[in-house]
Amino acid sequence: MLRFSKIGRLRSFVAVILIQLFSETTARSCEGRCGERATSCSCQPTCEALLECCEDFKQFCVEISPHSGSLLGGTDFRIVDVLFDRKVNLTCRFKSETVTQGYVDTDGVGHCVSPMLFESGWVPFDVSTDGVSYSRSGRWLSVHHSKLAEAARLTLVNETQWQYYGTQDVGGALEMAWDASLINAQRVNVELWGYNETGEPYSERWRAEWTYLYSVSRDVPNSGRFRFVPQLPSAPLSAWDVGSVRVGPSTEPDGARNVNALWSDGHALAYNLDEVFRRDPAAWALGRCLQWDQEEKHLPRFLSEITDCPCTLAQARADTGRFHTDYGCDIEKGSVCTYHPGAVHCVRAIQASPEYGAGQQCCYDHTGAQVLTGDSIGGSTPDRGHDWGSPPYIKPPRVPGFSHWKYDVITFYYCCLWSDNCHYYFSHRPSSGCRAYQPPKSASVLGDPHFITFDGVTYTFNGKGEYVLLHSSNHELTVQGRTEPMKSGNGSVIMATRLSSVAMRENGSDVIEVRLSDWPDHLQVLLNQKVLSFSEQSWIDLKGVFVFSSTPQNVTVMFSSGAGVEARARGGVMTLTVLLPHAFKHHTQGLLGTMNDDPDDDLTSSDGELTAANSTAQDIFAYGAQWAITNETSLFTYDSEFLLNEYFFAPKHDPTFTPNFSVSEDPSDPLLQPTLKMCAGVWVAFCKYDTLSTRSLEMGNNTLLSLRNHANTVRDLQPVMSCGWLQPPSHGQKEGTLYLEGATVSFSCNPGYHLYGPQQRTCHSDGQWSGSETYCLSDDSLGIVLGTVGAVLAMVAMVVAIVVYNKKQKREKMKESEDRNTASVQLNVAIP
Ligand SMILES: *[C@@H]1O[C@H](CO)[C@@H](O)[C@H](O)[C@H]1NC(C)=O
Ligand SMILES: *[C@@H]1O[C@H](CO)[C@@H](O)[C@H](O)[C@H]1NC(C)=O
């Protein structure tokens, strides 16, 4: 995936010099930077484009390849564009503290090794050629280990065998595999490392640490494969149950840190557990499960702090600003849902909870309904440690991946996988309901450009320039859009525009720009004015924002506020969808309208003047024009002469560009008949305009597709009423696991018990279940009562008892919904 060229960099160099010459404010900050750089260099990601104004930029700031790797470290990366003397002592220092030894290869190319980190995202480093002064700088992208490409990890062949080793019928030799070219050695050592967190949880002294445990094997060929039969470890080492296998050069001493190496995924070290485990794994695991159950009771409760799940699979997949596919269980990748049998797709809440850094997971079955722990062992479970970690990382429970392993995964092995006591786990990690979930609203820009506001107003605005698409005082969220005239196949200008770039930021976040690149239908992402590469990983953790791009056509930007921006490149135009959570209601302005469920005020100018949506095209054009930004407010990067001339030194709304406000339908036009045939339904006007003004059926068809996508998103995000989970009566069963409006749940009692209360309950549109609670009472207790007190009295007593019990239950229910933490979830788990 070649997304940025050298020419691009040269152009940006020229452009920055131009900006420096002509823009007062920019020039000043650039000067300051250059002054500093005469003696030192700090390639901070913020201001990086400005750093290029220094003539000695190349000498000070290094580019590296690969630019990213596992946060566990060990990646050997090359320093490109600089050659070194073979005799120098090359070292790299990360975050001004961790030094790793590098080397210069026979071609004079410098190499360094990434260190073990407890965080993901960009990490600054400096390079030294004498081990004393660090004169060059660069940045390294640290990636959550499980989000890395398979090839960059050490693979545990048949991972289940590793993680169940010593349980019933699981034994034999364990095998691992790796890409031998990633270890710079003929022979390797294989080591086991353990992960732990020490110190009082949630105190200052709470720390994450990796410990070298022992050598599995020394001096074996670097063949990319290794097998061994695990030995029972000595007693103190057998206490480690979460860790990772490491393969590195045999020339390094045992347990050496920050050396070239490959790491396996974090996993349960079943093969490292002692004889007691081997003799009776279930008893051992139950012991651990009970111990954890006690410990967990003393930790702060985080359930009330995490967000509710979407009610349906459709909502979960459409709410891309706040939820993202869980890599373990993905309907697009064949639904391999090992930990969630019965589910076809799971998502995770993107943001960790504010105080505790906890995570939320939501799983759905093939009907699109939530899978809940109250009904199934495959239910989704919340996490004390968000799997992806959370800023500021480093300390538990925010260490990416491994805090989650420690608090939420190994404990699942204790209670659910190595033993059969899942109810303990589920009592601390019950599935989230969806009663508090509110779907976001979506707005779009598509075609040449048509706007669909949050409240559903559609209009066309073909201005050329840079405009406020959205501004919200809530979180200071700003999304700006740039449009440019369309060109026809033969290069002539068409009097209509297309969206070509969007730039955005919210309070304190990095600035992200997504724009059409020179490659057809490829999007380019810029972070604070500098091109960001997605060639090595699809997800990047940034300041106040995450960016996901698994293909150059699609980019998702997710802000801390829960606002999401989806950009798509298709058929030469860019389509934009903005998703805003409910909290933004009444707090938006700009071309995407006032989000308040009132379509009538959507075309409101910045000074409050209203334009009716059914105004003439000319009036709407005038309305759009006044949303032009200024150079002072612009978030865009002007890194080419074209952008400087057309946008930076030009009016932000080009008064000389007058679009065609309508297209004539000429009966002799051969394109007319196919256009009329293609363009039908509610979107007919946009489709005809786009097809005939661009003279391209493909263009019109793309517009139709984008409009349909938008309509589908709006449909998927419709609110759905939930009545909440119902528990089966004790001594009875429940049939039905759907709890949304219109659903019916039926009850029956075990033999020897009689059913009191409704046999069926239905979820009403007000979010309440019909009828009252259902009970199963034993025939015996009824018989005794009847025999001793007499029929009439007994019935009265019974009714009173039921009424009192009922009230008590209702009170408890209310208490429970107020504070889910206190809920003692009664489980009815069918463990296969
Ligand atoms: C290179 O520099 C590092 C960092 O100062 C030092 O620890 C190491 O001993 C030096 N190595 C050699 C071969 O001089
Ligand atoms: C890119 O986005 C389009 C439209 O939203 C979607 O249909 C497609 O599956 C996405 N591609 C990938 C690889 O995610």
Side-chain angles (χ1 to χ4, degrees):
M1 194 161 39
L2 218 176
R3 293 171 74 177
F4 338 104
S5 61
K6 284 242 170 217
I7 299 171
R9 282 191 51 191
L10 197 68
R11 269 210 319 242
S12 89
F13 183 74
V14 170
V16 172
I17 286 185
L18 283 172
I19 293 179
Q20 188 198 5
L21 289 177
F22 294 104
S23 154
E24 277 302 307
T25 50
T26 319
R28 244 181 280 122
S29 52
C30 192
E31 248 170 41
R33 278 279 162 194
C34 287
E36 279 168 37
R37 292 180 43 74
T39 48
S40 73
C41 172
S42 76
C43 297
Q44 292 304 318
T46 51
C47 216
E48 214 150 350
L50 297 175
L51 288 179
E52 297 195 26
C53 68
C54 310
E55 281 168 34
D56 51 8
F57 171 75
K58 267 286 165 58
Q59 196 188 330
F60 284 112
C61 294
V62 295
E63 293 288 334
I64 55 173
S65 174
H67 69 266
S68 68
S70 166
L71 83 178
L72 287 175
T75 308
D76 178 321
F77 62 81
R78 284 172 295 120
I79 299 172
V80 298
D81 296 341
V82 197
L83 290 181
F84 294 90
D85 187 326
R86 287 212 64 196
K87 292 196 285 288
V88 304
N89 176 10
L90 195 74
T91 53
C92 285
R93 188 179 61 190
F94 293 79
K95 297 183 77 186
S96 309
E97 54 190 38
T98 308
V99 175
T100 69
Q101 185 66 50
Y103 63 95
V104 180
D105 68 20
T106 47
D107 298 326
V109 176
H111 293 244
C112 261
V113 171
S114 69
M116 176 180 276
L117 296 162
F118 292 89
E119 65 192 297
S120 53
W122 293 103
V123 173
F125 69 89
D126 307 306
V127 185
S128 171
T129 49
D130 58 10
V132 181
S133 69
Y134 284 84
S135 53
R136 293 183 175 83
S137 298
R139 55 180 189 173
W140 167 253
L141 182 62
S142 172
V143 181
H144 181 298
H145 193 77
S146 317
K147 288 184 184 174
L148 278 186
E150 283 289 331
R153 303 185 239 170
L154 176 72
T155 308
L156 304 179
V157 178
N158 188 2
E159 201 165 321
T160 314
Q161 188 194 356
W162 288 72
Q163 304 201 102
Y164 281 73
Y165 201 90
T167 62
Q168 200 177 10
D169 301 333
V170 184
L174 295 174
E175 187 171 2
M176 61 188 95
W178 65 92
D179 177 349
S181 74
L182 296 178
I183 296 175
N184 192 17
Q186 296 295 317
R187 303 187 73 79
V188 293
N189 290 343
V190 181
E191 298 173 349
L192 182 63
W193 288 62
Y195 179 79
N196 202 8
E197 293 180 354
T198 59
E200 180 73 19
Y202 300 94
S203 77
E204 266 307 299
R205 306 177 59 160
W206 201 11
R207 292 265 179 285
E209 62 188 31
W210 279 99
T211 303
Y212 163 72
L213 300 183
Y214 51 82
S215 167
V216 173
S217 190
R218 288 191 188 86
D219 202 30
V220 298
N222 180 15
S223 62
R225 269 193 122 75
F226 177 71
R227 279 167 71 89
F228 72 107
V229 175
Q231 306 296 313
L232 281 180
S234 66
L237 294 174
S238 69
W240 294 87
D241 52 16
V242 177
S244 177
V245 176
R246 187 179 93 164
V247 172
S250 60
T251 47
E252 299 290 353
D254 288 348
R257 285 180 186 262
N258 302 329
V259 295
N260 179 211
L262 284 179
W263 295 82
S264 75
D265 282 356
H267 59 283
L269 307 184
Y271 56 94
N272 189 51
L273 300 173
D274 57 20
E275 276 176 81
V276 185
F277 177 79
R278 296 273 168 98
R279 239 180 289 132
D280 191 348
W284 182 97
L286 175 59
R288 285 290 178 102
C289 175
L290 293 174
Q291 190 188 337
W292 169 72
D293 176 55
Q294 286 307 316
E295 285 164 9
E296 186 71 20
K297 282 178 183 154
H298 294 109
L299 293 180
R301 298 163 186 274
F302 64 91
L303 292 178
S304 60
E305 203 197 34
I306 52 178
T307 176
D308 258 21
C309 282
C311 288
T312 63
L313 177 61
Q315 285 177 338
R317 296 186 71 196
D319 191 350
T320 50
R322 295 185 293 177
F323 294 90
H324 191 81
T325 301
D326 187 352
Y327 299 98
C329 174
D330 180 356
I331 199 166
E332 305 261 329
K333 299 208 172 108
S335 301
V336 185
C337 308
T338 317
Y339 296 136
H340 300 282
V344 298
H345 193 71
C346 297
V347 296
R348 287 186 187 278
I350 290 162
Q351 306 295 335
S353 72
E355 186 172 354
Y356 295 118
Q360 181 63 288
Q361 183 193 45
C362 316
C363 295
Y364 302 87
D365 67 16
H366 71 279
T367 69
Q370 271 193 281
V371 183
L372 302 174
T373 48
D375 299 322
S376 156
I377 193 175
S380 58
T381 50
D383 300 317
R384 182 170 285 283
H386 195 300
D387 182 20
W388 305 335
S390 53
Y393 305 105
I394 302 179
K395 274 183 59 146
R398 297 176 183 272
V399 175
F402 300 105
S403 285
H404 173 55
W405 253 101
K406 175 89 186 154
Y407 294 96
D408 308 300
V409 186
I410 193 67
T411 51
F412 188 72
Y413 276 83
Y414 296 157
C415 302
C416 299
L417 298 181
W418 289 338
S419 81
D420 212 355
N421 300 283
C422 225
H423 53 285
Y424 287 107
Y425 187 85
F426 289 165
S427 72
H428 297 293
R429 303 284 189 270
S431 293
S432 151
C434 68
R435 298 187 77 184
Y437 174 77
Q438 283 178 315
K441 289 273 190 175
S442 80
S444 282
V445 184
L446 50 90
D448 66 350
H450 309 292
F451 292 75
I452 308 176
T453 67
F454 291 105
D455 295 337
V457 171
T458 56
Y459 68 95
T460 301
F461 169 59
N462 267 298
K464 181 208 150 193
E466 294 172 344
Y467 307 92
V468 178
L469 299 180
L470 167 70
H471 178 75
S472 176
S473 52
N474 201 357
H475 299 276
E476 289 300 318
L477 172 65
T478 301
V479 183
Q480 301 173 342
R482 175 188 291 151
T483 57
E484 64 182 26
M486 304 260 273
K487 295 230 169 65
S488 72
N490 63 20
S492 63
V493 170
I494 294 165
M495 295 320 278
T497 57
R498 64 174 182 179
L499 190 66
S500 59
S501 185
V502 286
M504 57 208 126
R505 155 169 86 187
E506 75 177 23
N507 213 354
S509 82
D510 284 322
V511 175
I512 303 294
E513 181 174 344
V514 184
R515 64 187 182 188
L516 290 171
S517 78
D518 297 341
W519 291 70
D521 285 354
H522 275 43
L523 293 169
Q524 189 179 56
V525 181
L526 291 94
L527 160 67
N528 302 323
Q529 275 72 51
K530 192 163 193 280
V531 171
L532 207 54
S533 167
F534 284 85
S535 57
E536 289 171 17
Q537 73 297 309
S538 55
W539 175 286
I540 303 186
D541 297 337
L542 299 168
K543 188 161 159 261
V545 60
F546 300 116
V547 186
F548 174 72
S549 176
S550 63
T551 147
Q553 286 80 39
N554 294 7
V555 175
T556 309
V557 182
M558 297 149 276
F559 288 101
S560 303
S561 63
V565 176
E566 295 272 8
R568 299 281 180 271
R570 187 194 284 149
V573 299
M574 186 166 161
T575 302
L576 186 75
T577 301
V578 181
L579 296 154
L580 288 187
H582 197 257
F584 284 85
K585 197 171 174 182
H586 303 298
H587 296 291
T588 73
Q589 46 178 344
L591 290 174
L592 293 176
T594 321
M595 179 173 118
N596 59 358
D597 294 333
D598 175 11
D600 290 342
D601 64 359
D602 275 12
L603 275 57
T604 303
S605 70
S606 49
D607 46 23
E609 203 173 307
L610 198 66
T611 303
N614 60 1
S615 304
T616 63
Q618 285 82 351
D619 284 348
I620 287 180
F621 186 72
Y623 158 76
Q626 59 77 43
W627 276 116
I629 61 172
T630 62
N631 275 344
E632 284 68 44
T633 57
S634 173
L635 301 175
F636 288 105
T637 301
Y638 305 93
D639 55 356
S640 69
E641 271 172 275
F642 170 78
L643 292 173
L644 285 167
N645 293 334
E646 294 291 318
Y647 295 94
F648 189 77
F649 298 119
K652 283 285 181 266
H653 168 75
D654 185 348
T656 66
F657 183 85
T658 309
N660 287 336
F661 290 112
S662 61
V663 285
S664 56
E665 293 176 28
D666 176 358
S668 66
D669 180 354
L671 199 58
L672 185 63
Q673 277 318 313
T675 302
L676 294 178
K677 196 161 161 229
M678 178 179 78
C679 299
V682 285
W683 309 112
V684 62
F686 290 170
C687 173
K688 279 200 296 197
Y689 179 89
D690 289 13
T691 313
L692 295 174
S693 65
T694 62
R695 312 287 310 153
S696 159
L697 282 169
E698 193 199 344
M699 175 75 198
N701 194 37
N702 279 327
T703 300
L704 274 185
L705 274 176
S706 300
L707 286 162
R708 265 185 220 129
N709 278 346
H710 180 83
N712 289 343
T713 303
V714 170
R715 181 201 60 205
D716 291 346
L717 289 175
Q718 281 304 308
V720 179
M721 190 54 83
S722 164
C723 291
W725 181 73
L726 274 185
Q727 65 178 36
S730 31
H731 312 294
Q733 292 86 38
K734 174 182 77 171
E735 205 170 300
T737 52
L738 193 62
Y739 309 107
L740 303 180
E741 184 178 342
T744 294
V745 173
S746 355
F747 305 99
S748 57
C749 293
N750 295 342
Y753 289 84
H754 261 87
L755 190 140
Y756 291 87
Q759 202 255 320
Q760 276 197 343
R761 299 180 73 185
T762 300
C763 177
H764 289 321
S765 58
D766 61 357
Q768 300 298 321
W769 287 106
S770 64
S772 55
E773 188 139 349
T774 303
Y775 305 96
C776 293
L777 297 179
S778 99
D779 295 344
D780 284 356
S781 64
L782 208 61
I784 292 163
V785 173
L786 286 176
T788 53
V789 188
V792 177
L793 274 180
M795 284 318 286
V796 169
M798 195 61 138
V799 168
V800 169
I802 287 178
V803 168
V804 169
Y805 185 55
N806 224 332
K807 280 209 171 129
K808 188 168 157 249
Q809 289 284 312
K810 266 207 182 121
R811 265 204 317 275
E812 271 173 15
K813 259 266 174 62
M814 280 166 71
K815 216 174 114 225
E816 187 177 307
S817 58
E818 272 160 29
D819 178 6
R820 286 182 23 220
N821 289 342
T822 59
S824 70
V825 180
Q826 186 184 335
L827 295 153
N828 180 29
V829 177
I831 297 171

